[in-house]
Amino acid sequence: MWTIFHRWASPPYFYRQSTRLLPWLSAICALLIIAGLIGGLILAPSDYQQGESYRIIYIHVPSAWMSLFIYMVMASSGAIALIWRIKLAEVMLVASAPIGASFTLLALLTGVLWGKPMWGAWWVWDARLTSELLLLFLYLGIIALYNAIDDKRRAASAIAVLALVGVVNIPIIHYSVQWWSTLHQGPTVTKFGAPSIYIGMLIPLLLMALGFMLFYAISVLLRARTELLAREAASRWVREMLEEA
Amino acid sequence: MREFFAMGGYAFYVWTSYALACVILAWNILLPHRVHKRFISRLRRRLTQRTQA
């Protein structure tokens, strides 16, 4: 386990392996999302209360899950970067931020589009919506802070601290629908016991969630590779790779 | 087919959501891909300049 971890933390190994991995990840990701779309838009029955409008769930819920998941990845990378000064952890932290911001924005926008027909309001200032909006500002703050500091290693340490401080927001988002009274519906999948969602609706949701997860992997690899090259531009492996190709 | 696109009267909300997802996901692939390609060609140019000098 540790030897695998150490090998992947080495920039040339990471770069070479990710080049080989990307086409496979892309193919599986495309298959998952296509299957999820067919299941969600065509095969799944309409909801007895919300009619066809509930089909927004197949975008909204996976992107909301990803907005939290990516933040946790960033906080963990931040901790690793601060403690062990591993370059790759810094790179993953930086590369994840715009993708996390994108998924947060997508969750908020699709929430607005779902809220209007179901609640009669585009936006309400309740706990779930407000804490998710705060998450978007956290992501944007991390990106802005990184770009404001010229020394990229110092910049990475600064955003690692910010990412770790912001972690308090994550359980607040997750439990907000239980702690405060809200218009937002409670959890139907991520609770103890059996999920209270019909299986024909659940399977496409899980397919989309897996697809989004792989999408994040692809996008973060693409960004991390550029970031890694920029930091290692003077090193020998980069020169050798450029001469090879 | 027309029924499918009508989404039980919620067409605007459902299809706008899917279109937004499409745009945001595409942006997250195309942009990093282009930045990466451009960066590689810049590195390569710098390398050939240095070998010529």
Side-chain angles (χ1 to χ4, degrees):
Chain A
M1 177 66 207
W2 278 107
T3 48
I4 295 174
F5 183 77
H6 273 288
R7 229 187 285 155
W8 273 93
S10 128
Y13 186 85
F14 176 88
Y15 195 90
R16 233 179 309 121
Q17 290 302 314
S18 62
T19 312
R20 229 183 284 165
L21 217 56
L22 273 169
W24 292 99
L25 289 177
S26 310
I28 301 169
C29 174
L31 280 178
L32 282 168
I33 288 184
I34 290 168
L37 287 177
I38 292 172
L41 288 173
I42 301 168
L43 300 179
S46 60
D47 188 71
Y48 78 101
Q49 260 186 338
Q50 306 194 359
E52 306 293 341
S53 76
Y54 94 93
R55 293 189 196 278
I56 295 173
I57 201 176
Y58 297 113
I59 302 292
H60 178 73
V61 169
S63 31
W65 282 345
M66 288 315 293
S67 74
L68 301 183
F69 176 78
I70 294 173
Y71 198 89
M72 290 316 291
V73 171
M74 284 171 60
S76 324
S77 320
I80 294 172
L82 284 178
I83 298 168
W84 289 294
R85 314 282 316 158
I86 293 176
K87 238 183 250 170
L88 200 69
E90 293 175 10
V91 166
M92 289 307 264
L93 171 59
V94 174
S96 294
I99 313 165
S102 302
F103 277 121
T104 312
L105 182 68
L106 187 56
L108 286 168
L109 289 175
T110 52
V112 160
L113 284 162
W114 200 359
K116 183 62 184 169
M118 290 302 111
W119 304 339
W122 297 105
W123 183 266
V124 287
W125 289 102
D126 84 337
R128 173 56 71 85
L129 281 69
T130 310
S131 54
E132 184 76 11
L133 184 64
L134 191 68
L135 183 67
L136 179 64
F137 291 148
L138 264 172
Y139 275 123
L140 296 180
I142 287 171
I143 296 169
L145 182 61
Y146 184 72
N147 290 328
I149 303 175
D150 281 331
D151 178 352
K152 287 309 169 200
R153 294 219 74 175
R154 277 188 56 209
S157 303
I159 61 169
V161 173
L162 181 53
L164 282 170
V165 172
V167 158
V168 289
N169 193 27
I170 299 300
I172 294 178
I173 297 174
H174 184 75
Y175 291 109
S176 57
V177 285
Q178 289 160 19
W179 291 346
W180 293 284
S181 77
T182 170
L183 277 177
H184 197 285
Q185 55 187 291
T188 46
V189 181
T190 56
K191 59 180 193 186
F192 292 109
S196 54
I197 175 174
Y198 170 66
I199 189 82
M201 296 175 174
L202 178 63
I203 290 171
L205 185 60
L206 296 180
L207 286 173
M208 287 301 276
L210 263 178
F212 275 28
M213 185 78 91
L214 276 181
F215 180 89
Y216 162 60
I218 294 163
S219 188
V220 83
L221 282 182
L222 284 175
R223 284 176 201 275
R225 286 150 53 83
T226 318
E227 190 71 31
L228 209 56
L229 278 188
R231 285 162 180 241
E232 301 268 289
S235 69
R236 214 174 62 192
W237 71 268
V238 174
R239 213 173 339 122
E240 283 173 357
M241 187 200 67
L242 287 174
E243 281 164 354
E244 253 173 56
Chain B
M1 204 60 183
R2 191 178 298 167
E3 201 182 324
F4 173 70
F5 285 110
M7 276 291 153
Y10 296 112
F12 169 74
Y13 303 104
V14 173
W15 294 121
T16 312
S17 296
Y18 280 84
L20 280 171
C22 204
V23 169
I24 290 177
L25 293 196
W27 181 79
N28 267 296
I29 291 294
L30 297 179
L31 186 82
H33 193 71
R34 220 180 51 191
V35 170
H36 189 76
K37 265 190 165 164
R38 229 184 257 168
F39 191 77
I40 291 241
S41 59
R42 200 179 343 141
L43 278 183
R44 197 161 280 152
R45 225 174 314 138
R46 217 187 296 164
L47 188 73
T48 48
Q49 273 170 3
R50 210 175 303 154
T51 44
Q52 279 165 0

